[in-house]
């Protein structure tokens, strides 16, 4: 093999160390984000929903004035709208914060 055939390979160890450090930071950040909560509402605040970064539904609050036994479908629609909005906010929060750490690189399987 010619002299210098592996030129630049000396930096491979340093690069791997940086990748490992980034993975640790990403895991820590993901764990922190999973504990954060986001809230969304529908119907002018008649329905409020709270989810966490794991996209788990934590809380649903329904204003008693919006409960109409003759229009259950509207109540169901408001709950769906608030829940979907909260889940979208949680996804955006995760993507935004992880994007800051990865410099906008899309890393498959990250979250």
């Amino acid at each position: 093999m010619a002299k210098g055939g592996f030129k630049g390979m000396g930096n491979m160890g340093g690069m791997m160390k940086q990748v490992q450090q980034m993975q640790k930071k990403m895991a820590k950040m993901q764990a922190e984000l999973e504990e954060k909560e986001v809230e969304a509402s529908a119907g002018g605040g008649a329905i409020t929903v709270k989810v966490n970064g794991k996209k788990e539904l934590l809380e649903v609050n329904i204003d008693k004035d919006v409960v109409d036994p003759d229009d259950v479908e509207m109540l169901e629609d408001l709950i769906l709208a608030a829940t979907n909005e909260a889940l979208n906010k949680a996804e955006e929060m995760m993507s935004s914060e992880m994007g800051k750490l990865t410099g906008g690189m899309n890393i498959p399987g990250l979250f």
Side-chain angles (χ1 to χ4, degrees), residues 28-64:
K28 182 181 179 198
M29 179 180 279
Q30 188 168 8
E32 290 171 0
L33 288 170
E34 287 177 351
E35 296 303 314
K36 287 192 176 189
E37 299 175 358
V38 294
E39 189 175 281
S41 64
I47 305 290
T48 305
V49 174
K50 190 180 292 184
V51 300
N52 63 18
K54 293 179 195 175
K55 299 179 191 169
E56 296 172 330
L57 183 61
L58 302 174
E59 191 175 304
V60 177
N61 292 304
I62 303 171
D63 186 321
K64 65 181 179 178

Side-chain angles (χ1 to χ4, degrees), residues 6-21:
F6 289 108
K7 189 173 183 175
M9 290 299 285
N11 291 332
M12 186 65 100
M15 188 167 59
M16 290 302 290
K17 192 172 190 173
Q18 286 178 330
V19 168
Q20 289 173 342
Q21 288 173 346

Side-chain angles (χ1 to χ4, degrees), residues 59-109:
E59 191 175 304
V60 177
N61 292 304
I62 303 171
D63 186 321
K64 65 181 179 178
D65 294 334
V66 77
V67 179
D68 180 356
D70 295 326
D71 195 1
V72 174
E73 188 176 320
M74 181 195 65
L75 183 58
E76 293 169 341
D77 289 344
L78 290 173
I79 293 169
L80 283 173
T83 302
N84 285 330
E85 178 65 23
L87 291 171
N88 286 336
K89 283 183 176 183
E91 179 68 33
E92 288 172 11
M93 175 189 66
M94 294 289 284
S95 294
S96 174
E97 292 301 314
M98 292 303 256
K100 289 177 188 175
L101 184 63
T102 63
M105 291 186 309
N106 185 12
I107 301 173

